[in-house]
Amino acid sequence: MKCMHNLLTASVALAFAGLVQAAVPAADAAKLGSSLTAVGADKAGNADGSIPAYTGGLTTAPAGFKTGDTFRPDPYANEKPLLVIDGKNVAQYKDQLTAVTVELAKRFPSFRVDVYPTHRSVALPQGVLDNTLKNATGAKSLEGGNAIENVLPGVPFPIPQSGAEAMWNHLLRYQGVAYSTKYDSWNVDSSGTQSLATSGEVVNSFPIFEEPNKVIDGKDTYFQTRLFYTGPARRAGEAILLKDSANPLEQARRAWQYLPGQRRVKLAPTLAYDTPNPGTAGSGTYDDVYVFNGALDRYDWKLVGKQEMIVPYNAYALSYLKDPKALTTPNHLAPQFVRWEKHRVWVVEGTLKAGARHVYAKRRFYLDEDSWVALASDQYDARGQLYRGSFSFLSQSYDATTPNTTPHVIYDLIGGTYNINGLSGAYGGIKYIAPLSKSQWSPDALAGNGVR
């Protein structure tokens, strides 16, 4: 009987261990701030010097920047490419490129990758770094990685032990407390025709950073967005409100939509996962926005490891481009506006769980070691065929100690189309703002602002 009791106890403990991932040992956490940066990146440069050591990021504005302005000049505008990769030499560099990058280079002679000197420009507020150090030994992942516990506002898992923990670092990354912007989204079809998908005004808010000393509760909203469409005419007056919580199994995504024709706000629970995003003309899903967003529960996540990759980075020329039509060329973005650099990234692979539904059977994400931003993805269909892929365009807001990746693109390799979202250069860029009141995040407020 005692043997049976011990066996049962061991079985329960083993099952519980599968649901809860403990924090890293103190000895490993002690590397933070020494061999590792405060967020878990390798502080040293790489062996050949093509990736420099981290020295604190870009915190000084370049000449020409006006305090309080939302248009941020490119501090690296005078640099020239060190290397150009195209279809002729892409095979030589394929191990440092995403699968989608390689495919674009093979397909289109006009596509190229201009590789510039690497700058580790990301800088984060000291409070975020302090909380990250505490999270290293205190934070836990729950429910097989689908939820978190005992996390302070900062990077939850600077030394991740699983793929799910690395993805939580992306989801809870610091982007400021709140920001607003006007933006355009453009589609380019297989014939090369450009069309305005949406214009809008958006406020993105990260409520967990409003109370930096408060441990995040499972029902706490870590991300919320309020979007009002102003164009094109067929979508003008529509509005969306969306909120994500730290434990999506306990509090699933809440979303509401206002449609002018109905003149009422209604719940919109389908604005998640692989529901097609109408603003992309079928080339992307709702969880493709910002490369990835939403709950993790439909995939098994594997931490593949860290790798040196050539990825879009310090993308000031693209992010603040005033004429989006110059960017949206046939088949791919105009190469002269896309800056690529070599950086170390965490590679995370998601495999669709048995019985779960999603158009992507496998997804591979590339997370920047300095910011935990998902810089790129490769996505595969049920046949194992490369289907789609995304890129985000990081630029450090040096006046706000905040990395920004609002612009992002998704390529549909099967449909031959792509969508570029979040282009705010024509409107001056993004503005970091004080948090809105709780009443402004209610469905009633969505109705009031959506009326036309």
Side-chain angles (χ1 to χ4, degrees):
M1 191 71 175
K2 183 176 180 181
C3 179
M4 180 71 73
H5 173 77
N6 289 341
L7 182 60
L8 180 61
T9 301
S11 299
V12 171
L14 184 61
F16 187 72
L19 295 176
V20 179
Q21 176 70 48
V24 300
D28 290 339
K31 298 175 184 177
L32 298 171
S34 55
S35 60
L36 302 178
T37 70
V39 299
D42 287 311
K43 185 178 288 187
N46 66 347
D48 65 9
S50 56
I51 298 175
Y54 184 76
T55 58
L58 180 63
T59 57
T60 302
F65 175 73
K66 298 177 182 178
T67 302
D69 200 354
T70 57
F71 191 91
R72 297 171 177 87
D74 183 355
Y76 313 118
N78 294 327
E79 294 183 345
K80 304 297 181 184
L82 303 172
L83 168 70
V84 176
I85 302 172
D86 57 19
K88 297 176 182 178
N89 63 349
V90 69
Q92 181 181 347
Y93 299 98
K94 64 182 179 62
D95 292 339
Q96 300 177 62
L97 300 167
T98 72
V100 169
T101 309
V102 173
E103 185 63 26
L104 291 172
K106 288 180 177 179
R107 286 190 186 189
F108 307 116
S110 54
F111 180 84
R112 71 174 192 269
V113 173
D114 294 338
V115 185
Y116 287 82
T118 296
H119 297 280
R120 297 177 70 178
S121 54
V122 170
L124 297 167
Q126 188 60 47
V128 172
L129 304 182
D130 292 342
N131 280 349
T132 298
L133 182 60
K134 296 174 184 176
N135 286 337
T137 54
K140 298 178 181 178
S141 56
L142 306 175
E143 306 292 345
N146 293 317
I148 56 173
E149 181 181 72
N150 199 38
V151 172
L152 288 163
V155 177
F157 307 104
I159 305 176
Q161 304 298 294
S162 67
E165 290 187 351
M167 294 304 294
W168 272 112
N169 290 346
H170 164 69
L171 293 173
L172 269 64
R173 68 197 184 277
Y174 182 76
Q175 304 172 70
V177 177
Y179 68 83
S180 66
T181 188
K182 295 181 180 180
Y183 77 97
D184 291 334
S185 170
W186 287 79
N187 290 322
V188 180
D189 67 18
S190 57
S191 69
T193 302
Q194 309 158 315
S195 61
L196 177 65
T198 55
S199 291
E201 300 179 9
V202 65
V203 175
N204 284 343
S205 172
F206 313 94
I208 57 174
F209 291 102
E210 294 177 27
E211 300 182 74
N213 298 319
K214 178 184 177 297
V215 173
I216 301 168
D217 182 80
K219 292 184 178 180
D220 285 344
T221 298
Y222 69 83
F223 168 69
Q224 55 190 2
T225 185
R226 198 182 74 171
L227 171 59
F228 300 110
Y229 293 105
T230 57
R234 61 184 171 79
R235 299 206 67 183
E238 292 184 23
I240 287 175
L241 176 64
L242 183 150
K243 301 185 179 188
D244 280 335
S245 300
N247 188 336
L249 304 183
E250 181 180 348
Q251 175 63 75
R253 169 173 285 184
R254 292 163 291 163
W256 298 264
Q257 190 171 28
Y258 175 83
L259 299 175
Q262 300 178 9
R263 301 191 70 81
R264 67 184 181 90
V265 175
K266 63 177 184 178
L267 286 169
T270 61
L271 301 187
Y273 297 111
D274 62 346
T275 299
N277 184 345
T280 68
S283 64
T285 65
Y286 272 103
D287 67 2
D288 283 322
V289 176
Y290 304 122
V291 180
F292 181 79
N293 74 94
L296 302 173
D297 58 312
R298 294 193 180 181
Y299 290 87
D300 291 318
W301 299 96
K302 176 184 177 182
L303 188 62
V304 178
K306 194 177 283 190
Q307 184 175 338
E308 294 181 6
M309 298 283 290
I310 296 169
V311 287
Y313 216 95
N314 289 309
Y316 294 91
L318 183 150
S319 298
Y320 294 96
L321 183 65
K322 293 184 178 181
D323 179 14
K325 285 192 174 182
L327 177 66
T328 49
T329 57
N331 302 315
H332 53 78
L333 298 175
Q336 67 268 29
F337 297 113
V338 184
R339 179 187 174 105
W340 301 74
E341 298 180 2
K342 184 188 289 186
H343 286 263
R344 285 181 293 242
V345 300
W346 287 97
V347 181
V348 179
E349 193 169 273
T351 301
L352 190 64
K353 291 180 177 178
R357 180 186 61 81
H358 202 288
V359 294
Y360 306 137
K362 183 167 289 188
R363 314 172 82 156
R364 179 168 277 222
F365 294 96
Y366 305 89
L367 313 181
D368 174 37
E369 70 168 341
D370 289 328
S371 64
W372 288 103
V373 166
L375 295 172
S377 71
D378 293 320
Q379 327 229 72
Y380 297 82
D381 64 17
R383 299 168 295 176
Q385 183 176 356
L386 185 61
Y387 183 7
R388 294 173 179 160
S390 299
F391 301 94
S392 63
F393 299 99
L394 185 151
S395 62
Q396 178 69 14
S397 295
Y398 34 72
D399 56 314
T401 324
T402 305
N404 171 47
T405 51
T406 300
H408 54 282
V409 66
I410 182 164
Y411 288 98
D412 185 333
L413 298 175
I414 294 177
T417 63
Y418 72 89
N419 169 268
I420 175 72
N421 199 341
L423 295 175
S424 62
Y427 307 104
I430 69 168
K431 180 180 181 181
Y432 296 96
I433 60 174
L436 303 182
S437 66
K438 289 185 178 180
S439 63
Q440 291 174 291
W441 288 104
S442 70
D444 290 341
L446 191 71
N449 283 277
V451 173
R452 61 169 181 170

